[in-house]
Amino acid sequence: MKQYVWKTSLLTIMVLSLAGCGKDNDAPTPEPPPSGGENVTVDNVTYANFVGGLFQSRCSSCHTGSGAGTARWVFSGYASVNNNLERINDVVVVRRIMPLNGSLSTRELQLLEAWIAKGAPQN
Protein backbone atom coordinates (compact mmCIF):
# COMPACT_ATOMS: atom_id res chain seq x y z
CA MET A 1 0.00 0.00 0.00
CA LYS A 2 2.84 2.40 0.84
CA GLN A 3 4.37 1.81 -2.59
CA TYR A 4 1.02 2.62 -4.28
CA VAL A 5 0.68 5.89 -2.32
CA TRP A 6 4.28 6.82 -3.12
CA LYS A 7 3.82 6.14 -6.86
CA THR A 8 0.51 8.02 -6.92
CA SER A 9 2.06 10.98 -5.13
CA LEU A 10 5.01 11.00 -7.51
CA LEU A 11 2.69 10.85 -10.51
CA THR A 12 0.60 13.72 -9.13
CA ILE A 13 3.70 15.87 -8.61
CA MET A 14 4.88 15.16 -12.15
CA VAL A 15 1.50 16.05 -13.65
CA LEU A 16 1.29 19.27 -11.67
CA SER A 17 4.85 20.21 -12.65
CA LEU A 18 4.11 19.68 -16.31
CA ALA A 19 0.89 21.65 -16.04
CA GLY A 20 2.95 24.62 -14.90
CA CYS A 21 4.97 24.48 -18.12
CA GLY A 22 2.09 25.67 -20.25
CA LYS A 23 1.97 28.99 -22.06
CA ASP A 24 1.86 32.01 -19.80
CA ASN A 25 -1.04 34.12 -20.99
CA ASP A 26 0.48 37.27 -19.50
CA ALA A 27 3.81 36.91 -21.29
CA PRO A 28 4.14 38.93 -24.47
CA THR A 29 4.45 36.86 -27.60
CA PRO A 30 7.22 37.87 -29.96
CA GLU A 31 5.99 39.46 -33.13
CA PRO A 32 6.75 37.59 -36.32
CA PRO A 33 8.86 39.37 -38.89
CA PRO A 34 6.68 41.56 -41.06
CA SER A 35 5.59 39.96 -44.28
CA GLY A 36 4.69 43.30 -45.80
CA GLY A 37 1.96 41.58 -47.72
CA GLU A 38 2.11 40.79 -51.37
CA ASN A 39 1.39 44.41 -52.27
CA VAL A 40 4.72 45.73 -50.94
CA THR A 41 7.37 45.75 -53.64
CA VAL A 42 10.78 47.31 -54.15
CA ASP A 43 8.95 50.08 -56.02
CA ASN A 44 6.48 51.06 -53.30
CA VAL A 45 8.20 50.10 -50.04
CA THR A 46 8.01 52.73 -47.29
CA TYR A 47 8.68 52.95 -43.59
CA ALA A 48 4.93 52.87 -42.96
CA ASN A 49 4.10 49.80 -45.03
CA PHE A 50 7.07 47.58 -44.24
CA VAL A 51 10.33 48.95 -42.81
CA GLY A 52 8.88 50.20 -39.51
CA GLY A 53 7.47 46.76 -38.77
CA LEU A 54 10.75 45.15 -39.72
CA PHE A 55 12.69 47.34 -37.27
CA GLN A 56 10.06 46.81 -34.57
CA SER A 57 10.16 43.03 -34.89
CA ARG A 58 13.86 42.48 -35.60
CA CYS A 59 15.71 45.34 -33.87
CA SER A 60 13.69 46.64 -30.94
CA SER A 61 14.47 43.75 -28.58
CA CYS A 62 18.13 44.87 -28.41
CA HIS A 63 17.92 48.52 -29.41
CA THR A 64 15.26 49.83 -26.99
CA GLY A 65 15.02 50.24 -23.24
CA SER A 66 18.01 48.66 -21.54
CA GLY A 67 18.77 46.32 -24.44
CA ALA A 68 22.35 45.36 -25.18
CA GLY A 69 22.44 47.34 -28.43
CA THR A 70 21.36 50.69 -27.01
CA ALA A 71 24.98 51.71 -26.45
CA ARG A 72 25.42 51.84 -30.24
CA TRP A 73 21.96 52.87 -31.44
CA VAL A 74 18.48 53.34 -29.94
CA PHE A 75 15.45 52.50 -32.06
CA SER A 76 12.63 54.94 -31.38
CA GLY A 77 10.81 55.18 -34.68
CA TYR A 78 11.36 56.69 -38.08
CA ALA A 79 13.58 59.61 -37.02
CA SER A 80 16.04 57.34 -35.21
CA VAL A 81 16.29 55.07 -38.26
CA ASN A 82 16.59 57.93 -40.72
CA ASN A 83 19.26 59.67 -38.63
CA ASN A 84 21.35 56.48 -38.55
CA LEU A 85 20.67 55.24 -42.06
CA GLU A 86 24.32 54.95 -43.14
CA ARG A 87 25.24 52.88 -40.09
CA ILE A 88 22.14 50.70 -40.46
CA ASN A 89 22.81 50.16 -44.16
CA ASP A 90 26.39 49.14 -43.38
CA VAL A 91 25.65 46.61 -40.63
CA VAL A 92 22.38 45.20 -42.00
CA VAL A 93 22.58 45.34 -45.80
CA VAL A 94 26.30 45.54 -46.63
CA ARG A 95 28.08 43.54 -43.92
CA ARG A 96 24.98 41.59 -42.76
CA ILE A 97 26.12 41.37 -39.15
CA MET A 98 22.76 42.53 -37.83
CA PRO A 99 20.36 41.47 -36.51
CA LEU A 100 22.25 39.29 -34.06
CA ASN A 101 19.16 37.15 -33.40
CA GLY A 102 19.06 35.84 -36.97
CA SER A 103 19.55 37.09 -40.47
CA LEU A 104 16.91 38.79 -42.55
CA SER A 105 15.23 36.86 -45.33
CA THR A 106 16.17 37.58 -48.93
CA ARG A 107 12.88 39.45 -49.40
CA GLU A 108 13.40 41.54 -46.26
CA LEU A 109 16.90 42.49 -47.39
CA GLN A 110 15.69 43.37 -50.90
CA LEU A 111 12.90 45.57 -49.56
CA LEU A 112 15.16 47.27 -47.00
CA GLU A 113 17.85 47.91 -49.60
CA ALA A 114 15.28 49.31 -52.05
CA TRP A 115 13.83 51.54 -49.33
CA ILE A 116 17.26 52.97 -48.51
CA ALA A 117 18.05 53.48 -52.22
CA LYS A 118 14.76 55.41 -52.61
CA GLY A 119 15.79 57.87 -49.90
CA ALA A 120 14.00 56.17 -46.98
CA PRO A 121 10.44 57.41 -47.59
CA GLN A 122 8.27 57.48 -44.49
CA ASN A 123 4.88 57.09 -46.18
Side-chain angles (χ1 to χ4, degrees), residues 4-28:
Y4 174 77
V5 171
W6 182 81
K7 286 181 180 179
T8 304
S9 298
L10 182 60
L11 181 62
T12 302
I13 291 170
M14 288 173 55
V15 168
L16 291 174
S17 296
L18 289 175
C21 294
K23 183 177 178 182
D24 184 2
N25 291 334
D26 294 332

Side-chain angles (χ1 to χ4, degrees), residues 1-121:
M1 182 69 173
K2 286 183 182 180
Q3 198 172 31
Y4 174 77
V5 171
W6 182 81
K7 286 181 180 179
T8 304
S9 298
L10 182 60
L11 181 62
T12 302
I13 291 170
M14 288 173 55
V15 168
L16 291 174
S17 296
L18 289 175
C21 294
K23 183 177 178 182
D24 184 2
N25 291 334
D26 294 332
T29 56
E31 291 186 37
S35 65
E38 294 302 315
N39 59 342
V40 177
T41 67
V42 295
D43 295 323
N44 69 5
V45 65
T46 66
Y47 185 85
N49 71 8
F50 179 77
V51 176
L54 180 72
F55 277 90
Q56 184 63 45
S57 67
R58 302 303 293 270
C59 306
S60 66
S61 63
C62 292
H63 291 281
T64 58
S66 60
T70 56
R72 297 192 182 265
W73 173 65
V74 176
F75 169 70
S76 61
Y78 178 77
S80 67
V81 173
N82 196 40
N83 291 337
N84 290 278
L85 206 51
E86 285 184 36
R87 174 187 284 175
I88 292 167
N89 183 59
D90 178 51
V91 298
V92 178
V93 177
V94 176
R95 293 192 290 153
R96 297 186 183 186
I97 58 174
M98 289 286 148
L100 290 179
N101 61 354
S103 62
L104 299 181
S105 71
T106 300
R107 181 169 187 266
E108 290 169 330
L109 280 168
Q110 287 172 339
L111 291 173
L112 180 60
E113 188 172 16
W115 177 74
I116 292 169
K118 289 173 46 170

